[in-house]
Amino acid sequence: MIPPTSDTPEAGTVRLVDYLAGELARAGVTHVFGVGGANIEDLYDAVHRDGTIRGVVAKHEFSAVTMADGYARTTGRLGVVAATSGGGAMNLVPGLAEAYASRVPVLALVGQPPNGQAGHGAFQDSSGKGGSFDAAEVFTPVSRFCARVEDADSLLELLPRAVEAAQTDPRGPAVLLLPKDVQEARIWSPGRGGAPAPDVPTPASGASAAPLDTSALAAVSDTLRKAGRVLVIAGEDVAAGDARAELAELARNLGAWVAVTPDAKDVFDNRDPRFAGVAGVMGHANVEDCLRRADVCLLVGTRLPLLARGGLERALAATEVVCLGPEPPFVPGTALRGDLREVLRAVTGRLPPRPHACPPHAGPLPMPVPSPVSRAPGKTIGYAQAIAAVEAALPQCAHVFVDAGNAGASAVHLLPAPRHGRFVVAVGMGGMGYTFGAGIGAALATGRRTYVLAGDGSFFMHGMEVHTAVEYAAPVTFVIFNNNAHAMCALREEFLQGGIRSDDLFRRTDLAAGVAAAFPSLDVTGAGDAAQLRQALLRSNTSGGPAFVALDCDPGEIPPFLPFQSFTTTTDSAVRPDTKENSDERGAVHVG
């Protein structure tokens, strides 16, 4: 670090933030998402001056994190978010928690008051001194790496460590706390009088994977070789590890059925004859039927959390389970841990190269649901009709981001994933409103049309990121299923608590009219039926910027969500036609 003894910059030196912006660009970062403020403004200035990275200003720091999250999930690169101190910093926490739980590599650069003010009553002090709380203690539980950059020289060590931690299994957020005076400090520019800086790692330049456990590899391969029928359940790590081709080859050689977890619909072609459907509480009865017929259940890139195994526990307990991936499963079984692509290639290499068809199966037939007890005053569009309209318009190269709630459950159950795009559901924390930022981040990163499917509850939380989409001409189509309610909460009240409380049912809101008035340049449609919805979506596909479509739904419509099925008038034999167990034997499935 250059001693601060001169008012004029010394030749061969740069501001620390200029160095930081340059290193991020060198690591392949193309966008930095965030919200500005006094204690992070120097970084934004450096990004602007450098011109290599595009700075994107969000409306809220939570959405800035989800933009970085969506960027990372669709590009495979490190997502970067920058925020100021105080409330801005604290608003990052729920978004980082989602990235932590879902293993998404995100780097958070968080401004702090100058070091000299720490513990002396500084505005937004979170140094842990002078009675203030310690920001590092807040961020550490939701990050793989967290450090306060005490001086400029320490960044040369801490930045590579943070980036490597974010991109090494288990992936997740890394946090660097940057006091303002450190950001403004000048350092020798590498190659111009100072020591060479350590390389900032990229996913391809990370440490080589540990050797596979040969005994576990032999055991897994032997089990699969002897199995007559195999059900594969594939998860999000297949997408994160870019292992779709390896998964498909293994499935062909095994003659296996392939199911996917709710957050991994895009890891296997949903139109392939092997595709069994979605596993778990938003899934298809056929997955349970295949599991009961299977000799082995092979988990690929998933630990099989509750959302993915709900309703399958008894069948899993009666079936041998094998797990391939970087982390151990939540269910008992034989695990072969390691880099997923390497693991899949190693296992496939030990199997006879005999691609063959899977046994016959019913396929992902939709779950029967009863007609709703209508609680909507006017005409509404049913979830199945609306999702069919989305499917008819959805480009196969588009990305889809699905938010929490009844509309989200319907989309996971009914909408096939695009063949060449992502289908993202944030089930790590399941936070409402995630998709608005994430969809924008994905669209700006890839330039592809991106569909955001969300309910009105999610819109009211973070839907004003529509403003960000308009400002940056992001190719995002926002589809808002408006039932004027927190409808999943209302259904839980009805089924689990003896009646619906009025506080989760709202007065009607005309979202299309409101958004059209707020954003005159935005293509806005209030779709009155499925045909109008489809036409609006097709029109949005041909535009270069954002579009907004709202449709009215019934809050009383029951989504294809297994925890509700035992409380409906539809019998369990209709929902699960190929099982002998009735609803009493199965018991209710509890989620949330």
Side-chain angles (χ1 to χ4, degrees):
M1 176 175 169
I2 306 302
T5 56
S6 173
D7 293 332
T8 59
E10 185 170 343
T13 68
V14 295
R15 292 181 303 171
L16 178 126
V17 288
D18 296 312
Y19 166 77
L20 177 55
E23 288 301 292
L24 293 175
R26 199 157 65 92
V29 174
T30 59
H31 294 71
V32 170
F33 306 95
V35 180
N39 285 327
I40 200 66
E41 62 190 1
D42 298 287
L43 176 60
Y44 279 102
D45 178 66
V47 168
H48 176 75
R49 288 173 183 271
D50 181 81
T52 305
I53 296 175
R54 188 180 191 187
V56 177
V57 176
K59 308 287 91 61
H60 191 281
E61 290 83 2
F62 169 79
S63 290
V65 180
T66 67
M67 289 177 193
D69 179 305
Y71 171 102
R73 294 199 204 214
T74 52
T75 66
R77 298 194 297 267
L78 179 72
V80 179
V81 60
T84 193
S85 51
M90 295 302 99
N91 285 340
L92 297 172
V93 171
L96 294 177
E98 169 60 41
Y100 183 96
S102 291
R103 310 308 195 239
V104 181
V106 170
L107 174 64
L109 303 171
V110 185
Q112 296 285 279
N115 274 319
Q117 297 179 9
H120 296 284
F123 179 58
Q124 299 181 332
D125 188 2
S126 57
S127 64
K129 301 176 181 179
S132 66
F133 72 90
D134 190 341
E137 293 184 357
V138 174
F139 287 113
T140 293
V142 293
S143 64
R144 305 296 175 190
F145 179 89
C146 179
R148 182 181 175 94
V149 183
E150 298 288 357
D151 55 67
D153 289 339
S154 65
L155 183 75
L156 303 184
E157 173 203 354
L158 293 174
L159 178 61
R161 287 177 58 191
V163 172
E164 183 174 17
Q167 297 180 128
T168 301
D169 288 322
R171 302 176 183 92
V175 179
L176 291 177
L177 303 171
L178 299 166
K180 185 176 177 67
D181 58 317
V182 175
Q183 296 178 52
E184 294 174 331
R186 302 195 70 83
I187 62 172
W188 290 109
S189 178
R192 298 180 64 185
D199 284 337
V200 175
T202 64
S205 68
S208 58
L212 298 182
D213 183 330
T214 55
S215 61
L217 174 59
V220 165
S221 302
D222 187 56
T223 298
L224 294 175
R225 238 188 332 265
K226 294 176 180 177
R229 293 178 173 178
V230 177
L231 171 65
V232 173
I233 302 180
E236 166 66 12
D237 276 339
V238 176
D242 192 21
R244 291 179 178 86
E246 289 79 7
L247 168 65
E249 183 181 5
L250 179 59
R252 286 193 296 268
N253 283 347
L254 290 172
W257 303 296
V258 180
V260 295
T261 57
D263 58 340
K265 283 201 78 171
D266 58 7
V267 304
F268 191 82
D269 187 351
N270 293 186
R271 298 158 185 84
D272 190 291
R274 302 179 189 280
F275 184 62
V278 177
V281 298
M282 292 173 272
H284 301 94
N286 181 57
V287 176
E288 182 182 355
D289 180 51
C290 291
L291 179 58
R292 292 183 181 279
R293 295 164 59 195
D295 300 306
V296 173
C297 178
L298 175 61
L299 307 182
V300 178
T302 177
R303 304 179 71 191
L304 211 63
L306 182 59
L307 283 179
R309 71 176 189 269
L312 302 177
E313 287 94 339
R314 291 189 181 182
L316 282 166
T319 307
E320 185 169 4
V321 175
V322 172
C323 179
L324 309 181
E327 296 186 80
F330 291 119
V331 296
T334 302
L336 175 58
R337 296 176 63 180
D339 175 79
L340 189 57
R341 291 179 75 181
E342 182 182 350
V343 168
L344 286 169
R345 289 169 178 170
V347 172
T348 302
R350 289 193 170 216
L351 298 176
R354 296 183 315 218
H356 53 287
C358 66
H361 63 118
L365 299 177
M367 181 187 297
V369 293
S371 299
V373 177
S374 179
R375 298 190 182 94
K379 182 180 178 182
T380 61
I381 305 176
Y383 292 132
Q385 293 174 296
I387 297 300
V390 172
E391 180 183 358
L394 181 67
Q396 289 304 301
C397 62
H399 302 305
V400 178
F401 283 77
V402 176
D403 219 300
N406 288 358
S410 300
V412 169
H413 190 77
L414 297 171
L415 180 62
R419 282 192 173 94
H420 309 295
R422 292 297 330 264
F423 188 108
V424 176
V425 188
V427 297
M429 289 289 104
M432 292 172 65
Y434 161 89
T435 57
F436 292 93
I440 291 170
L444 292 176
T446 66
R448 296 192 195 181
R449 176 58 49 181
T450 300
Y451 277 37
V452 165
L453 309 181
D456 54 307
S458 296
F459 172 80
F460 284 124
M461 287 192 179
H462 291 286
M464 281 300 99
E465 295 300 335
V466 169
H467 179 274
T468 308
V470 171
E471 286 295 303
Y472 292 91
V476 183
T477 301
F478 300 97
V479 185
I480 310 302
F481 297 73
N482 182 15
N483 52 31
N484 296 288
H486 285 164
M488 186 168 280
C489 295
L491 288 173
R492 290 181 63 87
E493 293 158 14
E494 178 179 3
F495 295 143
L496 300 174
Q497 296 183 326
I500 299 175
R501 300 190 298 270
S502 61
D503 44 336
D504 280 318
L505 298 176
F506 312 139
R507 297 182 181 88
R508 183 178 184 276
T509 304
D510 189 341
L511 296 182
V515 170
F519 305 104
S521 65
L522 180 63
D523 179 4
V524 178
T525 301
D529 55 38
Q532 291 178 13
L533 172 59
R534 177 175 175 271
Q535 288 302 315
L537 297 177
L538 289 171
R539 187 172 66 250
S540 78
N541 294 343
T542 63
S543 73
F548 184 95
V549 186
L551 56 142
D552 286 336
C553 300
D554 195 318
E557 181 171 358
I558 299 170
F561 190 56
L562 191 58
F564 294 157
Q565 294 308 306
S566 59
F567 299 102
T568 68
T569 56
T570 300
T571 64
D572 192 69
S573 60
V575 176
R576 303 275 174 173
D578 295 322
T579 70
K580 296 180 181 179
E581 296 177 312
N582 61 33
S583 58
D584 291 331
E585 290 170 329
R586 291 176 50 78
V589 176
H590 295 284
V591 177

